[in-house]
Amino acid sequence: MARAPDTLNKRATVKDVARVAGVSAGTVSNALSGKRRVDSQTQARITAAIEQLGYVPNLAARGMRTGRAGTIAIFSSMPIAVAGGQSRLGFLMEIAASAAESAMQNNLALLLIPPIADPATALGTIGFDGAILVEPSADDPYRALLAARGVPTVLIGPAAGMSDPSVTLDYRQMATLLFDHLVELGARRIPLVIGQSARASNLAFREVYRERCATLGLTPEIIALPEADGEIGAERAIDAHIANGGAPDGILVPIDAMATGVMSALRTRGLSVPGAVKVATRYDGLRARSETPPLTALNLHLDEVADLATRLLVERIEAGSDTSDVKAPDPELLARGSTLAG
Amino acid sequence: MARAPDTLNKRATVKDVARVAGVSAGTVSNALSGKRRVDSQTQARITAAIEQLGYVPNLAARGMRTGRAGTIAIFSSMPIAVAGGQSRLGFLMEIAASAAESAMQNNLALLLIPPIADPATALGTIGFDGAILVEPSADDPYRALLAARGVPTVLIGPAAGMSDPSVTLDYRQMATLLFDHLVELGARRIPLVIGQSARASNLAFREVYRERCATLGLTPEIIALPEADGEIGAERAIDAHIANGGAPDGILVPIDAMATGVMSALRTRGLSVPGAVKVATRYDGLRARSETPPLTALNLHLDEVADLATRLLVERIEAGSDTSDVKAPDPELLARGSTLAG
DNA sequence: GGCTCACAGTAAAACGTTTTAATGACTTTA
DNA sequence: TAAAGTCATTAAAACGTTTTACTGTGAGCC
């Protein structure tokens, strides 16, 4: 069987296929896309010709005609290397990996867009049909740009008053789930170790924490730390806190890097987990899982979240119309060794 | 200043810009690309017109003309969710994140291609100018497809006899570095805990391990395990090994998931690290860093590796010619608490 | 003054596909 | 049997760029 000489000659076009199959170019196009009926006999001749010539459609040409790029983009506005480091990478990439998969199921490919110095000009060189923004801040530089350009956009994050449709993550629910779990297991003095920035997640956790404490008659102890200080910062802070006021019987520490630090502090102080102190964190990443004992955390169903976001985006792209928000699946408590005696 | 009505009217084209600036379309194109000189006065008129109309080039049309998609793709042939789980995700995504950044510096965007059931048809829907394959196996399904389609490809991995240019990772060097480190610190009985599959990395580590043992007159003890059993598998295996033959004074365990398992086993047996046993692993990911004590590992300079691969690929795309292999930067020993006292 | 040369610009072709309007051929309906 | 409707197909237009070949125009050189 003669192979088409791929490298030397130019790639076969739809016209070549048409000639070989003895039909017109339009018919080949219809056969390929299935947009119109084509006789099964001609269909067969066309597929034969395609096979014979090793025809591969030119996607740029198709894209020009249809106005579709065949890609969607996922943006990480936060510098991966800096903020959160590898934990954040984990969170983001777990989403990206799943989004890539569901995009592919919609015949789309996923573009990974890193944070860049000059978003505006860079966006001019990249074509995509829609965008997913992960936990954008209120003043996210990309959001404005995308909106101005009329690119369909879907957010993953809190249901703040942003205009774009989003897969909403319910931080309040997460906070409640974790806090109540600690309380149910008997903890009564439960400091909250949390980031001090105004990110939605931090705010929600503080809010719920205060409310629940008030309801249950517990004394709130909020230890707010710069996120950038991460592990070490949390270790020192909780250590100092214990030195001052004695040991708690539970600690709620949503950010996993801080949780690692807290665990270290407890270890060096000889406070057993979960015997003396029960610890819970939010994101069930590598950190939480490889602690000793492994940390109680939440299954956020990020794969489903990514899938939902992708589907929402596809819908929005195809319908053109606005679509409503979608709630992320309920987070699920993963009670592990850091709260349950084993 | 009147904004161009983005949403209602069609997007401005190069012709519109030309009309407003009082020049021809070709000149606008030249002004944009800089391929030919254009008078500074006209240049100014054109940029003004672009600004006024909010012109954004249609990338599909450009791509059709130039034959460039403006993207490169990075492939993970291994199912992310399965093999290696989150550690592998870390490794891969560390590379992907860096590659995305350097791609952007070359005015390219990075496509994240997940492993999929039917690579052939999926590739037909995605356009890209080149591909990066991370640690492809010998029978990688993508490699054949990409080669057949004549897509410039760059490999990240061992310098096996693959035809494509690659950024070569020197597994032998990594193995030597880690093993010798353990020996230098006085370890004499150093089992190797390793994956049993025929992946290049495993082979190289075993090879070097045997050679060095022979040279130094040490008794080799190779514990080969199914990668899929991961953490737990390694924990059980090393425990059994110790039960049978007594405690070693060093352990070389390249795969980080297995290293975590080994650490657990040592902990439950009350063997102090690094006092009684020194432990070293290869990839300096989240796992290695958040162990207690943190694990001695290698800085593989994955950011530079990704950058090299991207640059190599760009070169190959632009030159069209074959390019030679590039050696990855030398791995650097990160001696941490798991081998160093203090 | 004739010759060439560089310069800045233009008109039109070309890229490969999808879509539109038109065309027969054949079937159904009146 | 004529009119109206399907059906599969086609020729040509259209998408928005870049590139090619060509055109004046004025400068420099002998």
Side-chain angles (χ1 to χ4, degrees), chain B residues 182-197:
Chain B
L182 293 172
V183 170
E184 269 166 33
L185 291 175
R188 285 298 172 267
R189 205 192 136 195
I190 312 174
L192 171 70
V193 179
I194 196 164
Q196 68 182 13
S197 78

Side-chain angles (χ1 to χ4, degrees), chain A residues 64 86 94 110 112 148 286, chain B residues 6 64 86 94 110 112 286:
Chain A
M64 165 157 89
Q86 286 208 340
E94 219 180 302
L110 187 79
L112 193 62
L286 199 43
Chain B
D6 286 336
M64 165 157 88
Q86 285 207 338
E94 220 180 300
L110 188 79
L112 194 62
L286 199 44

Side-chain angles (χ1 to χ4, degrees), chain A residues 13-14 29 35 55 58 62 64-65:
Chain A
T13 79
V14 82
S29 175
K35 281 217 188 347
Y55 167 74
N58 178 322
R62 174 177 296 173
M64 165 157 89
R65 200 50 247 240

Side-chain angles (χ1 to χ4, degrees), chain B residues 274-286:
Chain B
V277 189
K278 303 182 194 324
V279 177
T281 190
R282 180 179 42 147
Y283 170 52
D284 177 41
L286 199 44

Side-chain angles (χ1 to χ4, degrees), chain B residues 123-139:
Chain B
L123 279 198
T125 34
I126 311 174
F128 48 91
D129 302 325
I132 296 179
L133 261 60
V134 181
E135 293 193 322
S137 60
D139 57 345

Side-chain angles (χ1 to χ4, degrees), chain B residues 285-339:
Chain B
L286 199 44
R287 273 203 131 96
R289 295 189 205 178
S290 51
E291 258 301 333
T292 12
L295 299 185
T296 288
L298 298 177
N299 181 353
L300 300 176
H301 302 287
L302 291 184
D303 50 348
E304 291 181 50
V305 167
D307 190 57
L308 281 171
T310 310
R311 294 231 289 268
L312 194 56
L313 183 55
V314 169
E315 204 179 311
R316 191 155 147 62
I317 291 171
E318 283 173 358
S321 65
D322 272 352
T323 43
S324 52
D325 287 2
V326 169
K327 209 183 153 312
D330 284 331
E332 187 185 340
L333 187 77
L334 300 169
R336 297 230 184 80
S338 71
T339 58

